Amino acid sequence: MDGVELEILWSNLIGVVTERAKALQRIAFSPIVREAGDLACALFDQRGRMVAQANTGTPGHINSLAFAGAHLVREFAGQCEPGDVLITNDPWLSAGHFFDITTLTPIFNGDRLIAYIGSTIHHTDIGGYGIGAGARDVHEEGLWIPPLKLYERGTPNPVLHAMIRRNVRTPDAVFGDLAAQVSSGQAAAEHLIALCERHGLTDIEALSDEIISRSEEATRAAIRKLKPGTYHGESSFDVPGGEVITLKTAVTVDAESGGILVDFTGSSMQTTTGINVVLNYTHAYATFAIRSCLNPDLPNNTGSLAPITLQAPEGSIINCRYPAPVNARHVVGMYVPMPILKALYQVLPERVLAEGSGAVWTIQIGGRKADGQNFTSSMFNYSGGMGARAEKPGPSATCYPTGVAAVPVEILEAAMPIVFDRKELRRGSGGAGRTPGGDGQIIAFHMNTQDPWMLNAVPSRLNMGPEGLGGGEPGQAGRFLVNGASVSQARKLNMEPGDQVVLETPGGGGFGPAA
């Protein structure tokens, strides 16, 4: 395909999915989507291959969506009609927990299926336990939606809609977000059809072949430049309840084929709390870490992901077996890049970063408003400091690797009776080094209520600060305080009026010995 023509078509595809992702973010009900950007949007060809992703979204959602979309295409092959919308939140088929619902819209030009547009977003509520880690198996965690049709020929599936509405605490918000996903998919379909007609394309299959093959070859070419061999990395961190999790990686670079194998053998086994990770989510953050070091400017699609393969023992913390609880899977999943980066330090020392705070600290609150109405908040989160880079300090209070933003305190205070007393950088919490790690932050809040309330909090690294790299010093561990007392429990906390919560998130590790 002519290079100029390809670039024009490619930029148009990116425009279609990015515009739809931003529209989805603008009209979503859930603050974690609307304000923090906890979403993904991608275009798939007829064979279920992810061709293009939006320029906004989180790696955990985007790369998991590649698997979810491919599965839904296979599951409903030959069964789709104009007006259908497919749906699932199966943790093992999509993004790892029930809160992340994936929808996939088949795009028809007349009676001809030409592509699919998909999105995954974090929903306010899905019933069950909530966002915390306290459930004992996956069935306690909420409503499980197998691969189904949310809409059939443009008509809502009445049974499925009724099941969802009756099983969630905030049905208006959940259906508002589902409507945002469906409408953004419909608009993307119209834009893609117009693009094909404008350029005389009957479908995007030839364009998809060109994009995916070029992306794969460019990724393999970047890998072939690396020194071949097997490199090891290991990270340990404490999770809610005080349990210490260890992730071990052996990263094998095959410079001949241009492939990389990441083997997690030796990592901790799955646990009884909801921090277990499905392989899709592990793959999402592992490939993100590697591709960020290779050539982050390359398109992210099925082709660029193909040269990177994973192995993880079934039943391990990062490839858990059913019916393991998974609702707080981000607590471990967002640490997946850390041992990989330590391994790649031996190959690309100038392109990696030291350990950071890892998982965002997620909070969910439930209680009663002054008018007596019960409420359950959407998840909101706070980050610690990023690890330092070879030539630059680590950014403070910045989410790595997820990249989500914090929901502004003004939005939270407007949505529920919460009052923030402090929100400031935790100065000096980043580790010293030739380049220092980023600082964490301090957040203090209480509830303006006369009734007891519920707190779901998932902090990590309360005992073990992030390690430095290449002689850098570790960052400070975090602190989670209720009325001045340290708390680390993998369950909901029953709170009283007047209780104050203080979060002091960890600092990032330093890079290189300090002068």
Side-chain angles (χ1 to χ4, degrees):
M1 183 174 287
D2 174 76
V4 174
E5 180 187 10
L6 177 61
E7 182 61 29
I8 292 171
L9 290 169
W10 170 249
S11 63
N12 274 266
L13 291 183
I14 292 295
V16 168
V17 289
T18 298
E19 181 184 350
R20 289 305 94 204
K22 291 181 177 178
L24 169 58
Q25 186 172 356
R26 285 195 303 272
I27 61 179
F29 277 49
S30 176
I32 192 65
V33 179
R34 189 179 65 248
E35 305 292 339
D38 202 11
L39 77 157
C41 187
L43 180 71
F44 296 81
D45 64 15
Q46 293 177 24
R47 289 162 280 178
R49 301 181 299 175
M50 186 172 75
V51 182
Q53 66 160 78
N55 288 334
T56 184
T58 73
H61 283 152
I62 292 165
N63 291 349
S64 295
L65 178 56
F67 286 96
H71 180 85
L72 288 171
V73 169
R74 290 193 300 269
E75 181 88 5
F76 291 93
Q79 303 175 47
C80 291
E81 299 179 77
D84 286 356
V85 178
L86 313 179
I87 186 173
T88 188
N89 72 344
D90 187 315
W92 281 268
L93 299 181
S94 52
H97 69 176
F98 289 148
F99 285 92
D100 291 333
I101 298 180
T102 295
T103 64
L104 190 73
T105 301
I107 301 175
F108 284 84
N109 190 358
D111 293 330
R112 179 180 173 80
L113 176 66
I114 62 171
Y116 300 82
I117 186 77
S119 65
T120 301
I121 70 171
H122 182 102
H123 282 256
T124 302
D125 180 64
I126 197 65
Y129 185 88
I131 196 61
R136 292 159 295 181
D137 72 43
V138 70
H139 292 287
E140 292 183 351
E141 294 186 319
L143 179 64
W144 189 325
I145 306 172
L148 293 169
K149 289 186 178 182
L150 180 66
Y151 283 75
E152 297 185 74
R153 298 184 296 279
T155 302
N157 179 335
V159 175
L160 179 56
H161 277 66
M163 290 293 293
I164 295 173
R165 182 170 293 278
R166 196 67 184 90
N167 279 277
V168 301
R169 300 176 180 91
T170 56
D172 289 344
V174 170
F175 277 93
D177 284 344
L178 285 173
Q181 289 182 270
V182 172
S183 62
S184 67
Q186 291 172 332
E190 294 170 3
H191 288 188
L192 183 68
I193 292 169
L195 169 65
C196 290
E197 291 177 347
R198 194 163 59 244
H199 291 272
L201 302 175
T202 56
D203 54 41
I204 64 166
E205 295 306 293
L207 176 60
S208 171
D209 286 339
E210 193 79 16
I211 290 170
I212 289 174
S213 62
R214 288 189 184 219
S215 299
E216 179 173 351
E217 183 49 43
T219 303
R220 292 192 184 279
I223 295 172
R224 290 188 185 103
K225 296 176 182 177
L226 304 181
K227 180 181 177 182
T230 299
Y231 307 93
H232 297 271
E234 179 176 328
S235 289
S236 295
F237 49 94
D238 59 280
V239 296
E243 183 180 3
V244 175
I245 302 298
T246 299
L247 300 183
K248 295 184 178 181
T249 57
V251 179
T252 299
V253 177
D254 184 345
E256 184 174 345
S257 69
I260 288 180
L261 170 65
V262 182
D263 188 347
F264 284 93
T265 299
S267 298
S268 296
M269 300 304 289
Q270 69 185 51
T271 184
T272 56
T273 58
I275 60 171
N276 300 294
V277 188
V278 303
L279 193 60
N280 281 2
Y281 198 74
T282 300
H283 185 276
Y285 276 113
T287 50
F288 168 72
I290 292 171
R291 286 191 18 79
S292 297
C293 295
L294 291 176
N295 187 345
D297 294 327
L298 287 177
N300 190 60
N301 54 40
T302 296
S304 55
L305 297 176
I308 306 168
T309 54
L310 257 67
Q311 290 181 357
E314 188 179 1
S316 63
I317 192 81
I318 35 76
N319 185 15
C320 63
R321 288 193 192 97
Y322 166 83
V326 293
N327 257 1
R329 51 65 169 129
H330 67 282
V331 172
V332 171
M334 290 181 187
Y335 284 100
V336 163
M338 306 304 175
I340 295 173
L341 294 176
K342 287 182 178 179
L344 292 178
Y345 174 69
Q346 303 162 61
V347 188
L348 297 164
E350 74 285 355
R351 293 194 180 184
V352 301
L353 66 158
E355 278 190 350
S357 58
V360 292
W361 287 16
T362 55
I363 306 293
Q364 188 179 38
I365 290 170
R368 185 178 294 123
K369 296 181 180 179
D371 61 4
Q373 183 180 357
N374 292 326
F375 75 92
T376 298
S377 77
S378 177
M379 179 183 80
F380 54 100
N381 49 258
Y382 296 104
S383 59
M386 270 181 63
R389 298 157 288 182
E391 302 297 334
K392 296 180 181 179
S396 297
T398 301
C399 296
Y400 177 87
T402 178
V404 297
V407 178
V409 297
E410 296 86 354
I411 298 294
L412 296 173
E413 289 183 336
M416 56 184 164
I418 190 172
V419 178
F420 285 87
D421 305 302
R422 298 174 67 188
K423 191 172 189 293
E424 59 190 72
L425 288 178
R426 189 184 176 198
R427 300 289 185 185
S429 56
R434 184 178 71 245
T435 53
D439 288 333
Q441 57 183 316
I442 301 171
I443 299 99
F445 67 86
H446 68 275
M447 297 299 291
N448 185 16
T449 179
Q450 301 302 313
D451 299 299
W453 52 286
M454 178 275 295
L455 174 66
N456 239 343
V458 195
S460 57
R461 281 209 183 280
L462 296 178
N463 300 317
M464 307 169 66
E467 292 183 2
L469 190 60
E473 296 294 321
Q476 291 183 17
R479 296 206 308 163
F480 180 72
L481 309 172
V482 177
N483 298 327
S486 296
V487 176
S488 175
Q489 297 185 22
R491 63 177 180 84
K492 298 177 184 178
L493 301 176
N494 295 316
M495 310 291 286
E496 296 296 329
D499 286 349
Q500 186 184 56
V501 179
V502 177
L503 295 74
E504 298 184 6
T505 61
F511 197 117

